[in-house]
Amino acid sequence: MALGAYSDAHVHGMAAFRHSDSYWRSLQLFNAYRMLVALVLLISVLFTGNLLQLGSHDRTLFIQVTVIYLLFCMVCVAVIRTRRHFNWQIVVQVVADIVFIAILIYASRGVTSGLGLLLLTTIAGAGLISRGRLSLFYAALASIAVLLEQGYEVLVFQESAAQFIQAGFLSIAYFATAMVAHTLTRLTRQSEEIAAQRDLDVANLSEVNRLVIRDMPDGVIVVDGHGVIHQINTQAVAFLSEVQGGAPAAESVRLADCAPAVAAHLSRWHAGGRGAQTYSGSMDDRYGLRFATVGSRAEAGTVIFLEDLTRARAQAQQMKLAAIGRLTSNIAHEVRNPLGSISHAAQLLQEEPDSSPGMRRLLGIIHDNTQRLNRMVNDVLGLNRGQAPLLESFELAPFVRQFTAEFAETEGADPEIFALHADETLQVLFDRTHLNQVLWNLCRNALRHCRRVPGSVQIIAQRVRGSHAVKLDVIDDGPGVLPAVRGGLFEPFVTAAQGGTGLGLYLARELCAANGATLDYVESSAGAQFTLTCRMGYRNAVSSEQGITWSGAQGAR
């Protein structure tokens, strides 16, 4: 109970603090009304004489009380300016009103003077100002004062007891006024709470909209009917600064000043009578525009979406590749078994002693093509394995030296073709199996296009200056990559080599990405150059998909 009372008091106290200005302004207006009433009563009794019933019983008392009442209201003006003890001030003023008006009623021969109606305004005003607090208390005080005054009139001055009926009706009016004031203040308080909640909801919704617009990958611009920017996110600012001239894009700036081309698209859209519809268009090959009206009329404003078409194309390409990957994986599984049977049968036929040279040539063609198909199946299946790399730190030079020896033996090439330039202590952080597969694809391409003389394929490993990265270059002395082919160099199933699958470089780049590395083609004046950039390793470093751990002095870093 104590906690609940404290909570209620705290809430009311916070509400009073929150509406302190309106409370005090209302009290000032109420006091000004009381001063006006006192001044009108004083002027009336001074200049009308006996025309009115005011002061008919005791004119001197009436004038004295009215003057004191007016002075009291003036004192209240100074007290109100202190803005302290609001509740006590309203109680004192209302009680003083009841006392002063009761004395004025007595000086004017009772309730028949009509002065008792002044308390109706006092009770109503006090109830509204104090938000319904003590309204019935004020009505009870006023009723007691009027009934006591009427009883004094009957007992002392032998007035008619019938006037008690008028006093009773006046008391009922006081309570009715207090009840109405209480009800109105309760409804007003509820309306204020609802309005405050609505304001909070609107503020929260505006903040949510601002955060959503700020973090959207597309640019968003909100303009009014006059083409003035009301809201713009960072993506739109970057877009306009890249492709547009004019003033910097910002809020309260005209769209035509900072983005003339976008403003021209918007004007043509409105001029075409499509102001109440959405519109989609493009500015160039990279960026697209989309307009949507705010509300049902274009004059209310427009939302402009600036979309990066390259990102949309990349997403579409990823979906396409995923579908192709699933399809080819299923086909590869179905092809592998009959392909193995064909290869095995061809090998058995080649072992026959009575086979002719022509037959052997045909069997060689079958064997070569089955090997090519088998390599394609393995590449396709490798696209969908998705196995997490087992990162480990190892010395790069010995690894590449052993790799080139195995590669030359397997491919039937002269080992002198490959020249290695690397620091013997340089280490990399990579999956050994993945790096072997990446180098195999790069070296096979280089061997296919190089002149096959000693040093035709250069493998250069060096640390990237100013960073903890290692750059591994594979450079051949061949004709290089044609400009028409460079755009789709790393795309799957795209190849210019006869008998190639178009998956080697794509799979190599995917393996590099899984190991936190990059694989790029570098423009070169002679031959083709592929650069693999990966993380530098440390001694005794071992990693898996759960993380990387190091031991030793360097590993502590």
Side-chain angles (χ1 to χ4, degrees), residues 341-351 362-364 366-367 370:
S341 300
I342 295 174
S343 178
H344 184 64
Q347 291 177 359
L348 293 177
L349 289 175
Q350 283 180 330
E351 295 176 357
L362 293 177
L363 291 175
I366 294 175
H367 178 267
T370 53

Side-chain angles (χ1 to χ4, degrees), residues 481-501:
V481 180
L482 298 176
V485 182
R486 292 173 187 172
L489 196 60
F490 293 97
E491 294 185 7
F493 307 107
V494 177
T495 181
Q498 184 177 3
T501 64

Side-chain angles (χ1 to χ4, degrees), residues 363-434:
L363 291 175
I365 294 174
I366 294 175
H367 178 267
D368 293 340
N369 282 274
T370 53
Q371 292 298 318
R372 174 175 173 268
L373 289 175
N374 184 65
R375 186 169 61 251
M376 181 183 295
V377 168
N378 291 332
D379 289 342
V380 169
L381 293 177
L383 292 176
N384 295 323
R385 286 172 184 165
Q387 183 178 0
L390 179 61
L391 300 179
E392 56 179 315
S393 182
F394 54 90
E395 292 181 350
L396 183 60
F399 176 85
V400 175
R401 193 176 294 111
Q402 181 182 358
F403 163 79
T404 54
E406 294 177 356
F407 180 82
E409 182 179 357
T410 303
E411 297 291 334
D414 185 1
E416 298 295 328
I417 295 176
F418 302 93
L420 174 63
H421 306 278
D423 184 359
E424 293 293 332
T425 62
L426 189 63
Q427 296 201 2
V428 295
L429 190 65
F430 219 96
D431 187 313
R432 290 177 181 267
T433 304
H434 289 177

